[in-house]
Amino acid sequence: MGLLDRGGARLTSRPEEAEILVVNTCSFIDTAKQESVDTILEMARYKTEGQAKKLIVAGCLVERYRDEIRKSIPEVDAVVGTGELESILDAAGIARTAVLAPSPFNILSGSAHTHVRTGQESLSGTHKSDLKGTGFSPYESVPTIQEGGLAPDISFRPEGDHRERQGRFSREDWQGATHLLPTYLYNEDTPRLISTGRTSAYIKIAEGCDHPCTFCVIPNLRGKFRSRRFESVVAEAQRLVASGVQEVTLIGQDTTCYGEDLGLKDGLAQLLDTLAGIEGLRWLRFLYAYPNRITGRLLETIATHDNICKYLDVPLQHAAPDVLKRMKRGAGAEIFLKTVEKVRAAVPGIALRTSFIVGFPGESLRDFEVLEEFITEAKFDWLGVFNYSDEEGSKAHALDSKLPRRTIEARKRRLMKLQQKISRKAKQQWVGRELVLLAEGESSETELLWEGRTQFHAPEIDGKVYINDFGDLRSLESGRFYKAAITEAHDYDVVARITSRAL
Ligand code: SF4
């Protein structure tokens, strides 16, 4: 988006207005692939029946089905994989030299929820009517557009090289996928367009993954783990904060490995320590943690800084040791309970989020019960459940004892019901507390309510805080922080009354 904007394209979220349609895709599980394909087909109609002249497909689906997409959907004019971001310019017919200009972030104007559809989305076009790229340039640097997308100082971990020799990243079974793994990493000078409002921004600190999880094809799609340079991340965060961003969420497939390829020990903790010192940064968080990489130093860092959100998302995937062994993740309920205990002791009041996969091949009823017992005991604040998706190219694809779909569905429902009970009880404890929240605008459900988030809610993932009383204030401003008293609790969401502006 940043490259296109810098190249002179004007973005619109209305596909009927666009001359160029870009569908950014996902393909790590079946439902994501289906959603991506449906969106491409939907956008193709704007080309055949509307005024769109070009259809570009970008992202992970391209890494997986590069040739297939071109063959099966002739309306597609170009594909852009995750390792060749700059070729979006060629695909759109914009000269690469057109983006060689000072490099501010452009933040899309509008509410915290902009009109740009994220995920599998259509964007880009020629009209500036609803999304004004309000350019402002607090710094004077020249973007480095890397030919071939390879950062000059990119490095990998020995684990990554080792796993590559073992075939971890192989795409041999994937017809139409290029054999070249992506190596791209953006840097602080890469143009960006922030689509998450003026207050919040994501920063990707690392790309790829070296873990051997047998159900997962993300490493095959995104390549070996590689960290962005420490200084690059810090520079980007400083600039974002200087331009008004107050919440930064660091992301990566595994942020807890950050810096290992750069020779840093406790790299994430060091990075958080430095970023927490940026004046004006109110909330800092990271997604996602790998369970055995949650170090004492990391927890101490979270506990020490007021502006590091007391929030940890650690996907555990399962709790039965047998299943975890076959997932090639190891550990089990007993070890995980100790981890949960350690985290809560080090950072009192921390909100814990996790996710599980149900229906992994060979998951017995007993395995499932072990998971239920673990969830009952651990009492996570937030929990997601995914159905096992049998992905070609994953090691689990070759396993026997696949479970019937209806068993998987039934198990998922059971877990969600269990978590609903746990969550309902936990949310009751919130009533009477005064918390700082970020107002996010009118509720999508009713204009009588506003929505907000506390430090215990990551953007767009967890429950909501509904605001039904503005207190002494006549109105609220989206993207601003307020103090609020929690007055009611529901299963996952709570209701709040604003008490004052947060300083
Ligand atoms: S750590 Fe996450 S991204 Fe990496 S292989 Fe495992 S599930 Fe996939």
Side-chain angles (χ1 to χ4, degrees):
M1 283 167 64
L3 287 164
L4 289 169
D5 179 66
R6 180 67 52 75
R10 291 295 162 256
L11 302 189
T12 175
S13 60
R14 291 199 269 271
E16 65 277 15
E17 289 184 343
E19 284 181 12
I20 302 167
L21 296 154
V22 183
V23 183
N24 194 22
T25 61
C26 181
S27 70
F28 84 120
I29 50 174
D30 267 347
T31 45
K33 280 188 264 187
Q34 194 54 54
E35 196 183 335
S36 297
V37 171
D38 289 348
T39 309
I40 298 169
L41 295 174
E42 187 191 331
M43 291 304 126
R45 279 207 299 277
Y46 289 99
K47 208 182 142 192
T48 49
E49 295 163 19
Q51 64 162 20
K53 295 189 176 67
K54 267 187 186 173
L55 175 57
I56 302 170
V57 176
C60 280
L61 197 78
V62 175
E63 292 298 326
R64 175 78 178 78
Y65 300 104
R66 182 175 292 266
D67 297 345
E68 281 293 313
I69 296 168
R70 303 293 297 265
K71 251 189 267 159
S72 318
I73 314 175
E75 292 88 349
V76 174
D77 298 282
V79 291
V80 179
T82 59
E84 48 192 9
L85 256 67
E86 285 106 23
S87 70
I88 190 88
L89 294 168
D90 312 328
I94 297 171
R96 289 191 184 213
T97 47
V99 301
L100 293 171
S103 172
F105 297 108
N106 282 351
I107 296 182
L108 296 175
S109 67
S111 68
H113 295 295
T114 70
H115 302 290
V116 168
R117 288 156 58 187
T118 51
Q120 295 70 52
E121 62 194 314
S122 78
L123 48 91
S124 181
T126 54
H127 296 260
K128 207 167 177 165
S129 52
D130 62 336
L131 297 172
K132 299 176 199 87
T134 45
F136 47 93
S137 177
Y139 38 84
E140 296 294 322
S141 51
V142 175
T144 331
I145 301 302
Q146 298 148 6
E147 288 296 331
L150 184 62
D153 48 2
I154 198 167
S155 51
F156 297 111
R157 304 184 316 151
E159 284 96 321
D161 295 334
H162 171 67
R163 297 239 157 84
E164 187 174 26
R165 285 192 293 278
Q166 290 181 330
R168 173 62 178 115
F169 304 95
S170 166
R171 297 163 163 212
E172 258 166 39
D173 301 341
W174 289 356
Q175 276 174 8
T178 152
H179 66 283
L180 284 173
L181 280 176
T183 52
Y184 180 86
L185 268 183
Y186 82 97
N187 63 35
E188 73 275 30
D189 291 325
T190 309
R192 279 190 69 185
L193 206 70
I194 310 294
S195 63
T196 41
R198 288 199 160 264
T199 309
S200 288
Y202 291 99
I203 296 182
K204 183 164 260 195
I205 60 169
E207 183 58 270
C209 182
D210 295 336
H211 289 293
C213 312
T214 52
F215 54 83
C216 183
V217 292
I218 289 175
N220 311 51
L221 292 167
R222 318 274 330 185
K224 291 197 277 183
F225 179 85
R226 56 221 186 258
S227 303
R228 280 182 58 195
R229 283 180 302 106
F230 196 93
E231 302 74 22
S232 172
V233 177
V234 175
E236 185 180 5
Q238 283 169 337
R239 289 171 186 181
L240 282 166
V241 175
S243 61
V245 165
Q246 294 183 66
E247 179 186 30
V248 165
T249 302
L250 308 179
I251 52 168
Q253 273 81 40
D254 172 7
T255 46
T256 42
C257 273
Y258 175 76
E260 287 188 13
D261 52 326
L262 307 174
L264 296 176
K265 187 164 159 29
D266 268 315
L268 179 61
Q270 286 191 46
L271 185 65
L272 289 168
D273 242 334
T274 305
L275 297 180
I278 299 176
E279 208 172 317
L281 178 56
R282 199 186 275 260
W283 283 353
L284 172 63
R285 70 177 87 230
F286 59 94
L287 311 169
Y288 304 93
Y290 197 81
N292 68 5
R293 290 240 168 18
I294 302 168
T295 63
R297 163 92 197 265
L298 180 61
L299 295 174
E300 203 184 300
T301 308
I302 299 171
T304 304
H305 296 279
D306 286 345
N307 61 350
I308 300 185
C309 296
K310 308 305 173 233
Y311 181 96
L312 188 70
D313 187 342
V314 47
L316 295 173
Q317 314 299 2
H318 214 282
D322 280 354
V323 177
L324 284 162
K325 196 170 171 196
R326 272 177 288 126
M327 285 179 164
K328 280 220 174 182
R329 289 181 61 94
E334 215 176 302
I335 293 171
F336 289 161
L337 279 173
K338 282 197 185 125
T339 307
V340 167
E341 224 171 83
K342 180 174 106 174
V343 171
R344 286 185 173 142
V347 191
I350 194 167
L352 274 175
R353 183 183 181 87
T354 193
S355 49
F356 295 110
I357 293 173
V358 283
F360 187 79
E363 181 191 70
S364 65
L365 183 56
R366 182 61 206 136
D367 291 329
F368 178 70
E369 286 167 353
V370 169
L371 179 55
E372 279 186 318
E373 287 157 16
F374 170 68
I375 290 172
T376 308
E377 202 158 339
K379 294 188 182 57
F380 292 98
D381 299 273
W382 311 112
L383 184 145
V385 183
F386 289 90
N387 287 349
Y388 170 73
S389 180
D390 198 27
E391 294 303 315
E392 255 178 56
S394 71
K395 287 269 184 292
H397 187 64
L399 294 177
D400 295 331
S401 319
K402 302 268 161 67
L403 270 68
R405 192 120 304 269
R406 61 174 194 289
T407 307
I408 297 178
E409 281 294 344
R411 287 183 181 181
K412 179 180 179 178
R413 278 198 301 276
R414 248 169 87 166
L415 285 196
M416 292 313 293
K417 229 169 151 189
L418 172 62
Q419 178 61 19
Q420 191 177 11
K421 256 202 264 164
I422 294 169
S423 176
R424 188 187 307 147
K425 235 173 153 184
K427 295 297 167 293
Q428 290 295 340
Q429 310 293 318
W430 285 45
V431 177
R433 288 172 74 183
E434 190 177 70
L435 299 168
V436 170
L437 62 78
L438 168 64
E440 294 195 300
E442 233 167 54
S443 165
S444 48
E445 283 156 41
T446 162
E447 58 187 34
L448 299 174
L449 296 172
W450 266 52
E451 288 176 9
R453 276 190 297 117
T454 71
Q455 62 166 318
F456 309 114
H457 300 82
E460 294 187 49
I461 305 175
D462 304 312
K464 285 179 178 149
V465 181
Y466 289 108
I467 305 159
N468 66 352
D469 186 345
F470 292 180
D472 293 338
L473 301 178
R474 290 182 58 189
S475 60
L476 300 186
E477 209 181 304
S478 181
R480 279 196 75 146
F481 289 83
Y482 298 88
K483 283 190 182 160
I486 307 298
T487 54
E488 275 175 55
H490 297 274
D491 288 351
Y492 302 104
D493 306 320
V494 292
V495 180
R497 172 173 41 84
I498 299 294
T499 52
S500 64
R501 285 199 177 89
L503 295 176

